[in-house]
Amino acid sequence: MSTISVSTPSPTELVMSRTFDAPRDLVFAAHTQAEHLRHWWGRGNPLDVTIDFRVGGKWRFVETADGQEHAFRGEFREISAPETFTWTFEYEPMAGHVLVERYVFTEENGRTTVTGMSTFSSQEDRDGMLESGMEAGANQSYEALDAYLRKLG
């Protein structure tokens, strides 16, 4: 089973990378289309997805877990399908702590590596994200994506 590799190349950056046994076009679509996102994002929990996938378009995901709702939002800054997209990311209960994430999708021999590079406004914000259980949650979400991609395969 594949797990996310996490690194911190600078005090305000976090890089996560993981490889999927699926073609790039499908993995990109799974990250950018509501009909796919609701099956895996948020650790596979029930997810309400609103997404306007265009530069300047807004997105909002509300995950329901343990009887609580967890809302996330942002705006798309750059899109070059199916190679990359950049968005802002904010956890609504911690409004004002906005990070910028750039996702890069590379395919080799039918397998796709997704690399997410997050830039935070401070080292404190980056460290807070790391301490929040983000790595475990990201692993759970990507395990749910693996299962979903196998169903589509």
Side-chain angles (χ1 to χ4, degrees):
M1 176 178 293
S2 186
T3 58
I4 291 178
S5 104
V6 177
S7 65
T8 51
S10 82
T12 58
E13 292 178 306
L14 173 69
V15 176
M16 295 190 302
S17 185
R18 190 171 187 291
T19 301
F20 297 91
D21 199 13
R24 178 170 69 178
D25 287 348
L26 181 57
V27 177
F28 187 87
H31 279 76
T32 59
Q33 296 175 10
E35 62 267 26
H36 295 306
L37 284 159
R38 62 178 50 99
H39 290 277
W40 68 270
W41 204 94
R43 303 170 291 163
N45 289 316
L47 188 71
D48 179 43
V49 176
T50 304
I51 188 168
D52 180 9
F53 188 62
R54 62 181 176 84
V55 173
K58 301 208 182 307
W59 65 271
R60 184 170 189 259
F61 305 158
V62 181
E63 173 192 3
T64 302
D66 303 320
Q68 295 184 324
E69 290 189 342
H70 303 277
F72 305 83
R73 66 181 174 211
E75 181 177 306
F76 290 97
R77 291 192 170 175
E78 174 199 3
I79 298 170
S80 181
E83 294 87 20
T84 185
F85 72 86
T86 301
W87 69 7
T88 60
F89 181 96
E90 181 178 22
Y91 180 50
E92 287 184 7
M94 297 184 71
H97 296 271
V98 179
L99 59 120
V100 176
E101 289 185 316
R102 180 167 195 243
Y103 286 88
V104 176
F105 300 78
T106 54
E107 182 177 349
E108 186 174 331
N109 300 321
R111 293 173 50 93
T112 302
T113 299
V114 179
T115 302
M117 294 155 280
S118 302
T119 304
F120 296 80
S121 58
S122 69
Q123 181 173 351
E124 182 177 88
D125 278 0
R126 185 209 61 191
D127 292 349
M129 177 75 87
L130 283 168
E131 292 163 9
S132 74
M134 170 276 318
E135 185 175 351
N139 265 316
Q140 290 169 350
S141 289
Y142 273 168
E143 286 169 9
L145 177 55
D146 257 341
Y148 178 65
L149 290 169
R150 280 193 298 275
K151 280 189 212 175
L152 294 176

